């Protein structure tokens, strides 16, 4: 919930210190930085709906006919800040102290409905597209409403001071962003009331991404630091709000959403060219409770080096600033399975398989899946096959190509490791000379795979000389 406040302070920083805004989003100059009327309204609403703070000013002001459009927007925007309390609590239909203060016009009512429904969808793990299409009237109205009119001369007659225009601009900023930080960056490109647009953008973004870390691209990082942690507990106290209120607004990662989000993970935001890779996990089926354990993956630490987070329909595998790969969870016959595995280009397929198995076991606490250890063993045995869809062109019609194909069949065909290991152990007892030296040069499991490769090609080419197997 604290993301809205970060968005408000980011708008002030943009207007007063652009260099700091692009580097770390919000200024640390506590003597100068200020909250807007929307930020104060948000804190006041939270003081009554998140944590009851005695003596807190929670006055509500409604618009009168004498106000200009810009003044009316500020009042209506404050009312909307109170309504945001409902977006983060599914069972709260009307904020406390606002039961008798209704919307003054249809546009304001639509803005409330859209924002609440969109944030609730995002908190539940919906993709941006799913949320956009699932909220009644939002898609149609966003296509017909003149909310992009900032490109023209900004006057009061072209929706600059329309609360719905601010909602549409905020959604567009979030939709085009790839994390919390980039979404708020996008929000500052709009004319009009930047504070309201930034707060709404940050609310959407924090619902999907969280807002613990400001993630920075490596080329902009100072001293190689790609994560910047917001000092969130001090934010409220600087403006006269109780520190316990900020603590409640921050909450733990599981309090306000049903998954572990991107901007709470020690990942990176570099541009990646994703490449499909072999999926050794597609035959593991997860129950609904196991799926929830995957979505609610624990943060990484000393005892669990690898983690997972959900971002717009994909589960990402990461470790300490390194993004390793990703996959999707698909439903089949009321069970869930891993699908569409892809590599980021930062690490190999073998490292991806090891990372995913460790994350599922250690960070998701799925300790009753022995197949994860089997996958790690299978992958570690491969010398030539690295998850490619096709044999590397330089190995085609060569001995290395045979090894690549044999390892691929052994991995993806789920060949019985134990059976071939036992055969290898029996074979060693009958070998002598160079053949014995060759067999003893590798673990018995790997020798079993070599015997499988030899048997595979003997089956297809029974009259060929198989001495090439000693080149392994």
């Amino acid at each position: 919930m604290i993301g809205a406040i970060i968005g408000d302070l980011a708008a002030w920083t943009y207007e007063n210190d652009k260099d700091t805004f692009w580097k770390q989003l919000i200024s640390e100059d506590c003597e100068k930085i200020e909250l807007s009327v929307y930020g104060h309204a948000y804190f006041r609403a939270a003081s009554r709906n998140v944590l009851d703070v005695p003596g807190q000013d929670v006055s509500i002001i409604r618009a009168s006919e004498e106000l200009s459009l810009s003044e009316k927007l500020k009042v209506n925007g404050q009312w909307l800040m109170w309504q945001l309390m409902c977006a983060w609590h599914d069972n709260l239909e009307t904020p406390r102290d606002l039961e008798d203060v209704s919307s003054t016009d249809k546009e304001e009512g639509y803005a409330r409905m859209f924002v609440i429904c969109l944030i609730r969808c995002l908190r539940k793990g919906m993709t941006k597209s799913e949320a956009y299409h699932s909220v009644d009237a939002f898609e149609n109205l966003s296509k017909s409403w003149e909310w992009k009119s900032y490109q023209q001369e900004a006057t009061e007659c072209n929706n600059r001071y329309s609360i719905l225009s601010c909602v549409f601009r905020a959604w567009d900023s979030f939709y085009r962003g790839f994390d919390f930080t980039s979404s708020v960056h996008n929000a500052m490109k709009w004319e009009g009331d930047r504070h309201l647009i930034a707060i709404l953008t940050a609310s959407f973004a924090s619902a999907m991404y969280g807002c613990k870390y400001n993630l920075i691209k490596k080329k902009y990082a100072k001293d190689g630091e790609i994560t910047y942690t917001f000092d969130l507990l001090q934010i409220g106290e600087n403006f006269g709000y109780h520190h316990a209120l900020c603590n409640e607004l921050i909450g733990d990662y599981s309090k306000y959403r049903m998954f572990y989000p991107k901007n709470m993970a020690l990942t990176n935001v570099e541009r990646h060219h994703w490449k499909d890779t072999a999926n050794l996990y597609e035959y593991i089926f997860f129950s609904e409770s196991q799926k929830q354990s995957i979505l609610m993956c624990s943060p990484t630490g000393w005892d669990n080096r690898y983690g997972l987070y959900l971002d717009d329909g994909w589960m990402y595998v990461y470790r300490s600033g390194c993004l390793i790969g990703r996959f999707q969870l698909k439903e089949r016959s009321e069970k869930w399975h891993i699908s569409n595995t892809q590599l980021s280009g930062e690490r190999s397929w073998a490292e991806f398989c090891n990372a995913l198995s460790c994350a599922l076991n250690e960070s998701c606490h799925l300790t009753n899946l022995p197949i994860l250890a089997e996958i790690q063993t299978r992958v570690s045995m491969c010398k030539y096959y690295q998850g490619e869809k096709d044999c590397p062109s330089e190995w085609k019609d060569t001995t290395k190509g045979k090894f690549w194909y044999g390892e691929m069949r052994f991995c993806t065909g789920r060949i019985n490791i134990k059976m071939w290991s036992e055969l290898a152990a029996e074979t060693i007892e009958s070998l002598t000379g160079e053949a014995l030296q060759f067999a003893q040069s590798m673990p018995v499991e790997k020798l079993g795979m070599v015997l499988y490769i030899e048997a595979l090609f003997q089956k297809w080419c029974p009259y060929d000389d198989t001495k090439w197997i000693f080149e392994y």
Side-chain angles (χ1 to χ4, degrees), residues 183-249:
S183 298
V184 178
H185 283 172
N186 291 337
M188 293 302 98
K189 298 174 184 178
W190 293 97
E191 297 294 337
D193 195 322
R194 284 198 178 94
H195 284 267
L196 182 54
I197 295 171
I199 287 177
L200 294 174
T201 300
S203 296
F204 294 140
S206 62
M208 171 172 275
Y209 298 121
C211 55
K212 180 178 181 180
Y213 296 120
N214 173 23
L215 300 173
I216 306 166
K217 285 186 177 291
K218 292 178 182 177
K219 63 181 180 181
Y220 301 123
K222 184 179 180 181
D223 300 325
E225 290 294 326
I226 63 173
T227 57
Y228 171 80
T229 307
F230 299 113
D231 189 4
L232 301 175
L233 286 175
Q234 293 299 317
I235 287 178
E237 290 189 332
N238 294 337
F239 303 107
Y241 298 98
H242 201 282
H243 69 274
L245 177 61
C246 289
N247 195 51
E248 283 295 313
L249 289 175

Side-chain angles (χ1 to χ4, degrees), residues 99-113:
E99 294 88 348
D100 299 324
V101 184
S102 60
S103 170
T104 58
D105 58 42
K106 184 180 292 187
E107 183 180 335
E108 194 177 25
Y110 272 120
R112 175 194 185 278
M113 179 181 71

Side-chain angles (χ1 to χ4, degrees), residues 410-444:
F410 193 86
C411 274
T412 61
R414 302 165 66 199
I415 303 302
N416 192 312
I417 296 177
K418 182 180 178 182
M419 183 189 78
W420 284 95
S421 297
E422 291 174 351
L423 179 61
E426 295 174 4
T427 302
I428 289 176
E429 296 179 0
S430 63
L431 297 177
T432 59
E434 292 183 358
L436 179 60
Q437 287 183 324
F438 171 76
Q440 291 177 335
S441 67
M442 63 189 74
V444 67

